[in-house]
Amino acid sequence: MEKLRATSNLRRSLKSLLNRRLSSGSDFTHFNQKRSFQTSFNWIRDYKSVGEVNAVQYRYFSSVSTLVQRNPSFSTLNSDDISYFKGLLGEKNVIQDEDRLETVNTDWMHKYKGSSKLLLQPRSTEEVSQILRYCNSRCLAVVPQAGNTGLVGGSVPVFDEVIVNVGSMNNIISFDKVSGILVCEAGCILENLISFLDNQGFVMPLDLGAKGSCQIGGNVSTNAGGLRLVRYGSLHGNVLGLEAVLANGDVLDMLGTLRKDNTGYDLKHLFIGSEGSLGIVTKVSILTPPKLSSVNLAFLACKDYSSCQKLLVEAKRKLGEILSAIEFLDDQAMVLVLHHLDGVRNPLPTSMHNFYVLIETIGSDDSFDREKLEAFLLSSMEGGLISDGVLAQDINQLSSFWRIREGVPEALMKAGAVYKYDLSLPVEKMYNLVDDMRVRLGNLAKVVGYGHLGDGNLHLNISAPQYDDAILEQIEPYVYEWTSKHRGSISAEHGLGLMKANKIYYSKTPETVQIMASIKTLLDPNGILNPYKVLPHSINP
Amino acid sequence: MKIMVAVKRVVDYAVKIRVKPDKSGVETQNVKMSMNPFCEIALEEALRIKEAGLAKEVVAVSMGLANCVDTLRTSLAMGADRGIHVEAARELIPLTVAKILKKLVEVENPGLLILGKQAIDDDCNQTGQMIAGLLGWPQGTFASKVVLDKEKQVVTVDREVDGGLETLCLDLPAVITTDLRLNQPRYATLPNIMKAKSKPIKKYTPEELNVEIKSDLEVVQVTEPPKRKAGVILSSVDELIDKLRNEAHVI
């Protein structure tokens, strides 16, 4: 099914790019300044020397990018195109500068790098529409890009696709204080929306480690999950409407602000999670829950995975409506975080435990919530489910506990090469996969497991000093087959992007995928939107 | 030896505070409250001294409305042995707090009184100094290091002063107020939180202690500081010179 053609030219040029990147430290600080992945964290301070830059591995010779061929039906940019765009958007918003292109061509993990020669920054839906209409007529491939924090290579070009970055469209259009319905443009950074809503007494229904950089358009297009899914549900439930631009430039105005609207087929759901392959989301209307005053966080230790599971069941039952997040990480993840991140303190320093669970409650009455939480924790301790734990006493302690869980991806990046898998599995079986992988890989690599215990979502990460195909062989397709056997999802929340474009059959039937392909052809006949991603290359060239 | 630590319940340090519309104070309804960070440090220091075997008991004291008990529970969860709650219906000014503490010191007879250097809601930085004056005890304020010598009955305190560090040697009993760099407070572990439920908290009223609650101060108005204006990105050196000359008047 996959076209295997090692293009030696491609590899050579990638290798020279790689060498150039590793030797110029300045690249990296610029990169750091753009990408504050963690909110309370200073990137520049943490990359102390160029030497440390070299410790991060670039996986340009990843097996995937050499398996895809550039679709010959896409045109190449010419000077007429550039003049057109400059006329449409103004000189400042048409970027061909190599340094800036370097950043937008590379994903957050430094795993995927495209070779786009053009970055466009439209400021309005109308401009996006004109861009796409033009690109469609010229058959120029386009990559919609927002915060570029995706982890499956879906936000960067594979070859020379034109990057359309919605970051300049960052206005909040309206907010209804009674209903909590927020209408904003796709380029609003999630953390900015959270601060805005904070002043109004509301919160965003999603929260993830990337909040300092990710944009709501990207979150919606990828149906981002995050830490509070267990409480607020997925974006499919919270997004009330959106406005999207189709490949031919048509603007689909589905920007409703109604809680209930059963008139016809609900098309917005197609765009939520389609990773920019059906249209570019330009505006979002989202229902935001009220901000409740009492937040409590417990950082607990369990001796084995079955205790974590039982704890989850007990938490859902005993904490009920105030439970807002339940996350877990294993001892390997904890060790990595303590080692690689600055200013992180182990809340349970007296001994290393096998599993750590974070349980957060959000409610409106502090004393009531505390009582409930303490009663639950006491009974869990007495029942032997928890071996130790701490309860955050103020907001600072709360943030430092969250930092530990939210900082795992970052710590993994600093530790060297990382193979990331995001799987949905039945909760009882979730950790078995981690144990299996440890046996399979032995001394080759470190296997780290953490994730959203409440949603049955495991983030399986394999950390090695360097990328090595021998390691990859042991991982894929074993991980996918394992997941498929348990009827799990090979991508719980990260999406398919480029990384898993050909893996969809592990979780979806061929008939289903066929319909997806038909929809894609219907909405994007020339296939210019985010090509080579999401759907298998055999049906989505 | 007994150590007494005074703790205050304040608006949590990380909360974005808002001024009440009538400008009479800061919004405290529905806002997260927690222990004053400097008081946490004071309590941590007391606990460390006790764990080093140099003190027998740590007593935490808090004054105010009934919800002060939350802060006392936190102190007990961190490791204090007993709590004392002085009920008062109104905001207490540092002088009143100092007078009440004096009475409690007469009852409890601690060898060391440790407080935070200031509370983050009023930033007064007065209580420690006042109580030392009322008791006639030596004081070591802004402590960044505390070393207790039980035999000689002295405590050596490194103070953070504007010019650098000053080291004082105080005879016990003494008053110490703690500064940020003294230590990193411990977290309240679950086993300790459970144990704290059975530790005693004694209640007093100011009348029982013969202290009159009167305030010589009246808050007239509380306003926000003037908002910082957004920065402007200039497009050329000429524009910069123009702004420096005509707007900022510095050249």
Side-chain angles (χ1 to χ4, degrees), chain A residues 153-168:
Chain A
S155 53
V156 292
V158 182
F159 299 107
D160 60 345
E161 299 91 283
V162 174
I163 302 175
V164 176
N165 189 304
V166 297
S168 307

Side-chain angles (χ1 to χ4, degrees), chain A residues 440 472-483 503 506:
Chain A
R440 258 180 98 78
L472 184 58
E473 244 170 55
Q474 290 294 333
I475 306 175
E476 293 187 24
Y478 182 76
V479 163
Y480 297 136
E481 288 169 353
W482 204 104
T483 308
K503 310 280 192 286
Y506 284 105

Side-chain angles (χ1 to χ4, degrees), chain A residues 279-479:
Chain A
I280 299 187
V281 171
T282 46
K283 294 198 181 83
V284 176
S285 140
I286 188 163
L287 179 65
T288 66
K291 181 172 160 69
L292 299 175
S293 51
S294 157
V295 183
N296 284 304
L297 183 63
F299 194 93
L300 310 164
C302 298
K303 61 179 190 303
D304 54 28
Y305 185 67
S306 78
S307 313
C308 294
Q309 249 186 76
K310 291 190 196 129
L311 196 58
L312 168 67
V313 173
E314 283 298 301
K316 281 192 166 162
R317 183 151 296 147
K318 297 256 173 70
L319 296 174
E321 74 282 5
I322 62 168
L323 178 66
S324 65
I326 175 158
E327 300 282 312
F328 87 103
L329 53 150
D330 64 10
D331 54 345
Q332 291 286 343
M334 187 60 149
V335 163
L336 273 171
V337 167
L338 292 172
H339 189 231
H340 290 281
L341 296 184
D342 277 345
V344 166
R345 235 174 104 186
N346 186 351
L348 300 165
T350 43
S351 54
M352 268 319 274
H353 299 267
N354 291 328
F355 291 91
Y356 297 92
V357 176
L358 275 101
I359 296 184
E360 189 197 53
T361 66
I362 297 181
S364 47
D365 186 334
D366 203 28
S367 42
F368 173 71
D369 287 0
R370 262 205 163 223
E371 235 179 84
K372 224 170 162 174
L373 183 58
E374 284 181 7
F376 160 71
L377 291 173
L378 179 61
S379 71
S380 304
M381 265 201 103
E382 289 174 348
L385 293 180
I386 312 176
S387 38
D388 201 358
V390 287
L391 197 54
Q393 299 296 320
D394 56 43
I395 298 182
N396 253 342
Q397 291 185 6
L398 221 125
S399 334
S400 24
F401 294 171
W402 268 125
R403 174 96 179 87
I404 296 174
R405 162 65 186 86
E406 290 184 312
V408 182
E410 204 189 304
L412 281 162
M413 277 274 286
K414 290 193 180 182
V418 55
Y419 294 94
K420 246 184 213 310
Y421 297 92
D422 163 46
L423 313 158
S424 257
L425 291 164
V427 178
E428 331 69 83
K429 304 242 168 35
M430 229 156 76
Y431 207 73
N432 293 350
L433 178 55
V434 181
D435 289 327
D436 274 357
M437 291 310 297
R438 288 213 171 112
V439 167
R440 258 180 98 78
L441 287 166
N443 279 329
L444 280 179
K446 254 197 285 218
V447 182
V448 172
Y450 63 98
H452 312 290
L453 189 60
D455 316 327
N457 184 187
L458 171 71
H459 288 308
L460 174 73
N461 279 253
I462 290 140
S463 174
Q466 274 159 323
Y467 284 111
D468 186 349
D469 279 336
I471 301 180
L472 184 58
E473 244 170 55
Q474 290 294 333
I475 306 175
E476 293 187 24
Y478 182 76
V479 163

Side-chain angles (χ1 to χ4, degrees), chain A residues 195 198-199 293 295 300 345-347 374 377-378 381 386 388-391 393-397 400-401, chain B residues 12-16 18 30-35 40 74 77 184-191 193-194 197:
Chain A
S195 319
D198 200 66
N199 282 334
S293 51
V295 183
L300 310 164
R345 235 174 104 186
N346 186 351
E374 284 181 7
L377 291 173
L378 179 61
M381 265 201 103
I386 312 176
D388 201 358
V390 287
L391 197 54
Q393 299 296 320
D394 56 43
I395 298 182
N396 253 342
Q397 291 185 6
S400 24
F401 294 171
Chain B
D12 190 302
Y13 149 74
V15 165
K16 247 189 269 195
R18 261 181 275 277
N30 272 332
V31 158
K32 176 101 174 107
M33 307 286 273
S34 45
M35 199 192 298
E40 258 182 354
T74 306
Q184 207 176 36
R186 63 194 62 187
Y187 294 126
T189 62
L190 285 182
I193 293 176
M194 300 311 163
K197 288 193 196 295

Side-chain angles (χ1 to χ4, degrees), chain B residues 4 101-110 135:
Chain B
M4 188 181 274
L101 271 178
K102 174 164 184 249
K103 291 289 185 239
L104 289 173
V105 161
E106 286 165 8
V107 170
E108 296 278 343
N109 280 313
L135 289 171

Side-chain angles (χ1 to χ4, degrees), chain A residues 11 47-48 71 113 136 146 258 264 267 281 287 333 362 380 436 507:
Chain A
R11 221 185 237 140
Y47 281 89
K48 302 181 197 93
N71 188 336
K113 190 168 163 150
N136 195 33
L258 304 168
L267 293 180
V281 171
L287 179 65
I362 297 181
S380 304
D436 274 357
S507 296

